[in-house]
Amino acid sequence: MDIITDSYLDVESSSMHTADHDTTLIITEDLDIIQTQRQLLSVLNKILRSETETFKVTPSGSYNRMGYLLKEAISGLTLLESSLSEYQQLHPTTRLFNTTLKAYNLTDLSVTEAMTINEVLRRFREEAQAAPHKRQLRNFQRAASKNLKGALDYVNHLFEHHSRLLVVL
């Protein structure tokens, strides 16, 4: 169970929502979204772990490793934004990356924008280490834990009160 919980805490897409003091559980078919978000989060964590690596273009015109990571992150983010429903939210690190890209109006990698791309990298890494982002991560994980506990309690309640249940995965 711990493996499932740990993965869930990383990519939970917030199906429990409170609006106008009314809590609603929304069930969505979001396995593809979760997989895309998990892959994007993995790429963003690689970018964050490589603190000193910058975006460069090789003499042959191709990107270095960081360029390919950024290209993959931008395309993953584009896919996620088009797939999310109004009830889902991005992981805080993904939101931070998205906000940073939008602040610099960066939608694609370009050789002529190498300085801008490196400034985006610097700012993203700096803000990911800041206290507000770390607080958002803790809050996101706390909400995910609460949602998971609520869903498991609900399922357990159903099993306690109904003798015949068919679980479909």
Side-chain angles (χ1 to χ4, degrees):
M1 182 65 160
D2 288 339
I3 294 171
I4 293 171
T5 304
D6 291 342
S7 297
Y8 179 81
L9 292 177
D10 285 341
V11 297
E12 190 270 335
S13 57
S14 295
S15 297
M16 184 74 77
H17 305 279
T18 303
D20 300 327
H21 305 290
D22 178 35
T23 302
T24 307
L25 176 65
I26 299 168
I27 311 244
T28 60
E29 297 180 26
D30 60 349
L31 180 60
D32 290 339
I33 294 170
I34 289 174
Q35 289 173 337
T36 302
Q37 192 164 183
R38 179 178 291 144
Q39 289 169 345
L40 176 57
L41 193 56
S42 172
V43 170
L44 292 176
N45 284 329
K46 287 177 187 176
I47 290 171
L48 291 173
R49 280 193 301 268
S50 61
E51 293 178 20
T52 58
E53 191 173 349
T54 60
F55 171 78
K56 294 179 184 167
V57 179
T58 63
S60 65
S62 61
Y63 306 129
N64 64 344
R65 176 181 173 269
M66 184 54 60
Y68 287 108
L69 287 174
L70 283 168
K71 189 173 179 102
E72 187 176 345
I74 290 170
S75 67
L77 183 60
T78 303
L79 178 62
L80 266 181
E81 284 184 316
S82 67
S83 303
L84 288 179
S85 75
E86 63 182 290
Y87 303 108
Q88 296 169 310
Q89 55 181 275
L90 296 171
H91 186 276
T93 303
T94 306
R95 278 197 316 261
L96 176 62
F97 182 69
N98 187 28
T99 302
T100 307
L101 288 179
K102 287 184 179 183
Y104 287 87
N105 199 25
L106 187 66
T107 56
D108 198 5
L109 299 184
S110 171
V111 176
T112 59
E113 297 177 352
M115 289 181 65
T116 302
I117 293 168
N118 284 317
E119 178 61 23
V120 167
L121 279 171
R122 185 200 59 75
R123 182 171 170 191
F124 173 60
R125 289 172 178 151
E126 187 178 281
E127 290 187 24
Q129 295 302 317
H133 180 69
K134 290 182 179 186
R135 187 173 35 259
Q136 286 177 347
L137 285 172
R138 283 191 305 273
N139 291 343
F140 188 82
Q141 290 174 339
R142 190 176 314 115
S145 293
K146 185 178 176 182
N147 287 349
L148 179 60
K149 182 184 178 326
L152 293 175
D153 289 348
Y154 177 68
V155 169
N156 288 336
H157 174 79
L158 288 175
F159 276 114
E160 289 172 4
H161 290 88
H162 301 284
S163 60
R164 294 180 184 228
L165 284 179
L166 175 62
V167 178
V168 180
L169 299 175

